Amino acid sequence: MNLTLKIWRQKNADASGKMQTYNVTDISPEMSFLEMLDVLNEDLLKKGEDPIAFDHDCREGICGMCSLFINGKPHGPSQTTTCQLHMRSFKDGDTVYIEPWRAKAFPVVKDLTVDRSSFDRIIQAGGYISVNTGNAPDANEMPIPKDVVDEAMSSATCIGCGACVAACKNASAMLFVSAKVSQLAMLPQGKPEKQKRVEAMVAQMDEEGFGACTNTGACSAECPKDISLTNIARMNREYFGAKASSENV
Amino acid sequence: MSWFTESLSSSLGRKLIMSLTGIFLITFLVVHVAGNLQLLKLDGGESFNIYTKFMTTNPIIKTVSYLLYAGILAHVIYSIILTRVNRSARPVKYAYEKASTNSTWASRNMGLLGAVVLFFLVVHMRSFWFEMKFGDGVPMVEYDGEDYKNLYALVVTAFSQWWYVLIYLVSLAFLGFHLSHGFASAFQTLGLNHKKYTPFIEKLGLAFAIIVPILFATQPIAIFFWTQTGALDPSVYEEMIKTAQLAGQ
């Protein structure tokens, strides 16, 4: 199949970028989206042009490194990561827009690559537990109801790719932060620090320049891991509760 | 800043204020629409005028009305603050966006919808509240030896004009869309998201967003209809207002 690609090109963080048009030919529908970009980059290299920079790592849909705002949606038309998006989702002759995540807190490094270290700083602010967990405890030593574990684990499936921020009209990071707050707040190991954690993580999120939530639900609808809006409600409860009752003045 | 003001100026704190004032304004809508259904009585405005006197003189209602003005102001001011922060969170826009596939139009345009509702409020308050409080064109009427301001005369005169009725109907449609997202969203922000209650709240919100604007709309429509069919004669009321204005000068 043949495609027309409109791709954001930007030399570096300080340069101003623009959309540029490329044509790719003989693309197999079995290729992944990133492989299609690899083919384009091979072409560009042969012509002596600068290849297009984009983020990728495991290409198995579990690392959260790939991004790309494809045809108006983060990770493209299907609810998956870009590396798991295949060219069969497109038709021969299609025009495909490829843009980087757009957020003040995710500055463009080059072309389609953005700096997502604001997420790392939010995690550093409190997305951990402060004691070593040691060896695996005896089974059933610490009883946790199955549904609580399941809920915590489903929050923990967030891979931190930033699609929620990219999809949100306010570039809000609340789905990401709430998933990280939730996965720890629900389990016994995370409970002792839950108040301090949510206060610190929300403060860091605000400092990074993410927007606030308008409950449009776009984040959850586009999340490749299907993180639910109940996480945001849980974070709000945790935050208001912590602000009202914690010892941190 | 104290811990309290600091909490309220965080992204979540500001959302909390939007949510609480929003719910307060929703309860006001219920009272307002229920009370004003008395306009549908064809009794020359007696029950409506008696109700109006009660609402404008009862000390408890007066106190609540000042809280209401404060609530409206806070809702507007915080929406402006949040919108500014949210806009700045995405300095570079996408070239191509397909947000309609992941969220409702109303949820993405609460600011626009709210702005129209606010504009309507100004028109509405100028026509009735301002005239009632500061205007010298409100005729008096006597029931059982007691004097009442004849607000009904102002209402009939206003709603006998088709364009005035049209402003109301369009604004009520905007209010309906605003509520269709705002009602359930307010509960989500408070952290009230639960398997048992959220589906109910969402349905209730949708029903509220449809029924309340329709009930409001019945009032201008009915009065306009009656002035057209002759069941109400607006010239009688216009004459009353003219006489009152002449006497006031």
Side-chain angles (χ1 to χ4, degrees):
Chain A
M1 56 203 282
N2 302 327
L3 298 166
T4 306
L5 306 175
K6 299 208 179 267
I7 301 178
W8 181 262
R9 297 305 307 264
Q10 183 173 340
K11 234 183 177 62
N12 55 52
D14 303 319
S16 64
K18 65 173 192 316
M19 298 299 281
Q20 210 161 309
T21 308
Y22 297 90
N23 291 301
V24 283
T25 50
D26 295 328
I27 296 296
S28 154
E30 308 305 321
M31 277 181 184
S32 79
F33 197 84
L34 297 183
E35 283 166 341
M36 184 274 295
L37 287 178
D38 291 339
V39 169
L40 172 62
N41 274 346
E42 288 288 331
D43 270 5
L44 291 177
L45 279 170
K46 273 184 211 152
K47 285 188 213 159
E49 288 178 39
D50 193 21
I52 297 152
F54 61 89
D55 272 324
H56 61 103
D57 192 6
C58 76
R59 297 203 177 196
E60 290 181 343
I62 51 171
C63 77
M65 197 60 202
C66 61
S67 56
L68 305 187
F69 203 76
I70 303 162
N71 273 355
K73 287 158 79 76
H75 297 299
S78 53
Q79 200 183 354
T80 170
T81 54
T82 297
C83 61
Q84 296 299 300
L85 174 67
H86 289 82
M87 295 315 292
R88 53 178 172 268
S89 300
F90 299 89
K91 289 196 301 285
D92 186 34
D94 273 1
T95 299
V96 183
Y97 283 77
I98 311 171
E99 296 173 75
W101 285 174
R102 294 288 188 203
K104 187 166 79 181
F106 287 166
V108 172
V109 177
K110 185 176 191 237
D111 298 335
L112 302 171
T113 309
V114 296
D115 179 0
R116 283 170 280 186
S117 49
S118 48
F119 269 15
D120 300 337
R121 288 188 291 274
I122 293 173
I123 297 294
Q124 283 159 11
Y128 52 82
I129 55 172
S130 303
V131 288
N132 290 330
T133 49
N135 294 326
D138 286 344
N140 298 327
E141 186 192 33
M142 215 185 271
I144 312 168
K146 174 81 165 71
D147 53 347
V148 174
V149 177
D150 288 349
E151 187 62 23
M153 288 301 155
S154 84
S155 300
T157 57
C158 167
I159 52 177
C161 66
C164 44
V165 175
C168 176
K169 77 179 187 73
N170 307 329
S172 168
M174 291 205 186
L175 194 67
F176 165 77
V177 178
S178 66
K180 298 302 171 194
V181 164
S182 291
Q183 69 181 39
L184 294 170
M186 278 184 278
L187 297 178
Q189 295 88 339
K191 276 197 173 133
E193 290 169 292
K194 69 176 197 160
Q195 292 195 321
K196 200 172 124 194
R197 175 182 308 116
V198 71
E199 289 183 283
M201 288 178 81
V202 170
Q204 189 63 37
M205 170 181 82
D206 288 350
E207 201 183 309
E208 296 291 345
F210 290 104
C213 176
T214 323
N215 300 326
T216 67
C219 51
S220 182
E222 301 289 7
C223 174
K225 298 296 165 184
D226 227 354
I227 301 293
S228 141
L229 287 182
T230 52
N231 286 290
I232 297 184
R234 186 182 296 107
M235 171 178 73
N236 292 5
R237 284 199 299 275
E238 294 283 339
Y239 182 77
F240 299 140
K243 279 295 177 191
S245 68
S246 79
E247 298 285 325
N248 314 316
V249 179
Chain B
M1 271 195 294
S2 76
W3 68 269
F4 186 72
T5 50
E6 202 174 321
S7 308
L8 286 185
S9 54
S10 70
S11 56
L12 285 182
R14 287 168 176 165
K15 277 165 53 64
L16 179 69
I17 290 174
M18 288 303 285
S19 159
L20 292 175
T21 53
I23 290 172
F24 179 47
L25 299 182
I26 284 170
T27 60
F28 155 72
L29 285 179
V30 176
V31 176
H32 193 42
V33 79
N36 284 23
L37 283 177
Q38 293 178 90
L39 284 169
L40 298 179
K41 269 192 191 168
L42 266 174
D43 62 353
E46 183 171 344
S47 49
F48 180 71
N49 285 333
I50 293 172
Y51 167 71
T52 305
K53 186 168 187 175
F54 169 73
M55 292 303 273
T56 48
T57 50
N58 182 293
I60 295 172
I61 306 261
K62 273 175 102 173
T63 314
V64 174
S65 76
Y66 289 120
L67 280 176
L68 176 71
Y69 306 145
I72 294 171
L73 272 182
H75 199 70
V76 171
I77 291 168
Y78 272 83
S79 75
I80 294 170
I81 296 172
L82 278 167
T83 305
R84 285 176 62 106
V85 172
N86 292 345
R87 287 243 171 104
S88 74
R90 175 162 296 142
V92 184
K93 306 276 172 249
Y94 290 109
Y96 179 34
E97 215 171 346
K98 234 180 185 167
S100 59
T101 56
N102 59 35
S103 50
T104 61
W105 181 83
S107 74
R108 295 192 306 275
N109 291 281
M110 290 299 276
L112 169 74
L113 292 166
V116 173
V117 173
L118 178 65
F119 171 75
F120 164 75
L121 266 184
V122 173
V123 173
H124 180 62
M125 298 273 283
R126 174 67 191 82
S127 299
F128 302 120
W129 176 84
F130 181 83
E131 283 301 325
M132 189 73 179
K133 222 167 166 137
F134 307 108
D136 48 13
V138 189
M140 299 302 289
V141 66
E142 202 183 296
Y143 306 119
D144 293 331
E146 203 179 329
D147 283 336
Y148 291 87
K149 281 187 176 178
N150 195 350
L151 185 63
Y152 187 74
L154 264 66
V155 174
V156 173
T157 310
F159 290 158
S160 64
Q161 307 158 84
W162 67 268
W163 57 270
Y164 201 83
V165 173
L166 191 68
I167 291 178
Y168 270 63
L169 296 185
V170 171
S171 307
L172 285 169
F174 275 80
L175 175 66
F177 278 109
H178 196 71
L179 287 168
S180 74
H181 176 69
F183 190 103
S185 180
F187 290 90
Q188 161 78 7
T189 295
L190 286 181
L192 295 167
N193 186 315
H194 194 280
K195 254 187 212 166
K196 281 181 181 162
Y197 309 111
T198 301
F200 170 73
I201 291 171
E202 283 171 355
K203 282 194 197 100
L204 182 69
L206 201 58
F208 192 90
I210 295 168
I211 294 167
V212 169
I214 287 178
L215 285 178
F216 271 121
T218 56
Q219 299 155 18
I221 290 173
I223 289 172
F224 180 73
F225 181 74
W226 286 328
T227 59
Q228 294 300 303
T229 58
L232 274 175
D233 185 2
S235 63
V236 174
Y237 296 101
E238 278 163 34
E239 204 55 45
M240 283 183 195
I241 294 168
K242 260 185 209 141
T243 317
Q245 277 169 344
L246 282 176
Q249 273 166 5

